[in-house]
Amino acid sequence: MQEYERKQLLERVEREGATVGADIPETITVQGEEIDLRTFVFEIKRRETIPSGERDRVEQAKRNLRRERLERLEAIEEGDISREEGEELAGSIIGIDRALNALESLGPTDLEREQQAQKAQDRKRWMSFLKKALGEDEGGASRRGR
């Protein structure tokens, strides 16, 4: 592979919008183990929240995908590969990035939802406390006025 071709592939992979329109690979080999990546990502994203046991599995998958991405990127940067092999590696890196983006988007969304639910519960408890403290019953009538 020519040096300018190598640079083009690296630019393509690092481009900000590289994952737009990209598909998550059906399967991917990570550290010698084949993973049904698309199925895994869709199964995890389909759930409302991720159970704590699954959360560890998702974090491990993200670490493995990042490691695999780095290895493939280094192969493009420094490896003795053909243009076709470089294209294949670049496509797989973009697919890994797409999967990582999908998995990364899970955490904050769930945390935000939990935080909002917690705030709503706190607000209800606070309002209930205030109503009792002010002597109001459920109908809104004040006990002081009776």
Side-chain angles (χ1 to χ4, degrees):
M1 174 183 328
Q2 300 292 321
E3 196 58 35
Y4 75 92
E5 293 172 320
R6 190 180 306 272
K7 286 182 181 180
Q8 285 176 337
L9 288 175
L10 292 172
E11 285 175 12
R12 181 174 133 209
V13 166
E14 296 299 332
R15 195 174 304 137
E16 193 168 317
T19 60
V20 174
D23 290 327
I24 296 172
E26 188 70 41
T27 61
I28 189 168
T29 304
V30 177
Q31 297 176 340
E33 182 182 339
E34 191 166 301
I35 299 170
D36 294 330
L37 187 58
R38 186 178 300 162
T39 303
F40 174 73
V41 171
F42 287 137
E43 281 292 317
I44 296 299
K45 285 197 64 84
R46 185 171 51 89
R47 299 179 182 168
E48 290 283 325
T49 58
I50 302 172
S52 60
E54 286 291 305
R55 197 171 294 278
D56 293 338
R57 189 171 149 222
V58 170
E59 290 303 316
Q60 183 64 42
K62 290 193 297 191
R63 281 191 295 274
N64 289 342
L65 287 170
R66 284 189 206 102
R67 187 177 308 122
E68 187 64 29
R69 181 194 191 281
L70 185 61
E71 287 175 12
R72 291 174 187 217
L73 190 63
E74 287 173 354
I76 293 175
E77 289 174 340
E78 303 163 5
D80 184 23
I81 58 175
S82 68
R83 172 73 181 182
E84 292 77 29
E85 290 170 319
E87 288 283 346
E88 189 176 311
L89 284 171
S92 68
I93 290 170
I94 291 170
I96 289 171
D97 287 345
R98 178 76 171 89
L100 282 169
N101 288 343
L103 293 173
E104 293 289 345
S105 70
L106 296 173
T109 304
D110 289 345
L111 292 176
E112 287 172 6
R113 189 175 301 138
E114 289 174 17
Q115 195 174 34
Q116 288 172 350
Q118 186 65 41
K119 283 182 181 180
Q121 289 175 347
D122 289 344
R123 225 177 285 123
K124 284 181 182 178
R125 282 193 294 269
W126 182 245
M127 291 304 291
S128 174
F129 170 78
L130 286 176
K131 284 180 180 180
K132 286 180 184 177
L134 294 172
E136 293 181 9
D137 62 11
E138 294 297 320
S142 174
R143 289 184 185 163
R144 291 184 199 159
R146 289 184 186 176

